[in-house]
Amino acid sequence: MTYKLPDLPYAFDALEPVIDTQTMQIHHGKHHNTYVTNLNKAIEGKSDLDGKSVEALIADLSKVPADIRNVVRNNGGGHANHSLFWELMAPKGKGGEPSPDLKAAIDRDLGGLAKLKESFAAAATGRFGSGWAWVIVGADGKLQITSTPNQDSPLMGGGVVEKTGTPILGLDVWEHAYYLKYQNRRADYVTAWWDVVNWKKVSELYAKAKK
Ligand code: MN3
């Protein structure tokens, strides 16, 4: 099986003015595509890994042969993270609101939506260098905020990441995700990003993950 670059669920300019067209084109067509290409190259001829979804592949890296483990960690992580990221966004005004169920969980576990945004921003701006900020559903069914370096995913078990769980919201804080428009102002990008969050999708992911 080979992994494929998914189409964006909207046009390249659909997230303007929060995320500019050129950033979306380069981010999807070059950066994400490179992760897919490198992942396919790495697993070529490894029949043991055949047919695994990228999420299953990265969830247990101990099953990946040692000589390609880091390549799969970086590029499989990159493919999984970006495939999710595109789905988590929608044009301004189209993303809806958290479902009543998700809203209740946010209130219960994270102190409400305003506090979630504050803690998430702290995770996103506090991540030194490149990485991601996340809201995950932990093994106990509770929401948690975390961040990962590089292309690590909260799906990576076995002590690879600080907190393992199912990601339901994630923000790419690599410079390639925002530099053309925001330059060094990562905090402004994080604040603006809430306008394009697809809460309908986040709510769906929460409903699936909490089971
Ligand atoms: Mn990226």
Side-chain angles (χ1 to χ4, degrees):
M1 153 169 180
T2 53
Y3 298 99
K4 286 202 177 74
L5 180 70
D7 288 335
L8 286 183
Y10 35 71
F12 287 109
D13 63 358
L15 305 179
E16 292 267 10
V18 174
I19 303 182
D20 60 284
T21 305
Q22 194 187 6
T23 294
M24 288 302 291
Q25 286 167 333
I26 298 171
H27 200 177
H28 176 266
K30 305 289 181 195
H31 291 278
H32 187 174
N33 194 47
T34 300
Y35 300 127
V36 175
T37 304
N38 290 341
L39 176 62
N40 284 331
K41 224 183 277 173
I43 63 157
E44 209 179 319
K46 312 274 184 189
S47 55
D48 293 5
L49 305 176
D50 239 20
K52 277 196 180 185
S53 70
V54 69
E55 291 80 12
L57 180 71
I58 62 168
D60 189 356
L61 289 166
S62 72
K63 299 236 167 68
V64 174
D67 60 321
I68 60 164
R69 195 170 293 147
N70 258 323
V71 182
V72 169
R73 177 176 177 175
N74 290 329
N75 294 282
H79 179 36
N81 290 344
H82 287 84
S83 298
L84 177 65
F85 184 51
W86 312 132
E87 300 279 336
L88 295 173
M89 297 185 287
K92 212 170 167 172
K94 297 273 171 68
E97 300 288 327
S99 67
D101 206 24
L102 174 59
K103 192 184 172 300
I106 290 170
D107 290 345
R108 182 193 66 204
D109 301 335
L110 300 174
L113 190 57
K115 188 77 174 72
L116 175 159
K117 289 184 180 180
E118 200 182 297
S119 312
F120 190 90
T125 55
R127 168 51 55 194
F128 184 78
S130 297
W132 292 74
W134 304 99
V135 177
I136 64 170
V137 179
D140 58 1
K142 291 201 171 132
L143 299 177
Q144 297 176 47
I145 287 173
T146 187
S147 78
T148 55
N150 306 313
Q151 292 298 350
D152 283 356
S153 158
L155 293 169
M156 293 173 179
V160 173
V161 293
E162 206 179 307
K163 289 183 185 174
T164 299
T166 306
I168 61 166
L169 185 63
L171 176 60
D172 189 341
V173 296
W174 283 57
E175 282 187 345
H176 68 224
Y178 64 87
Y179 204 83
L180 291 180
K181 184 175 166 95
Y182 298 90
Q183 293 86 45
N184 60 315
R185 301 183 310 276
R186 187 191 286 187
D188 292 354
Y189 159 67
V190 176
T191 302
W193 182 69
W194 294 110
D195 282 343
V196 293
V197 168
N198 184 352
W199 285 108
K200 281 180 238 166
K201 183 71 190 178
V202 180
S203 302
E204 266 172 50
L205 292 171
Y206 173 66
K208 257 188 247 170
K210 68 164 193 169
K211 280 172 192 161

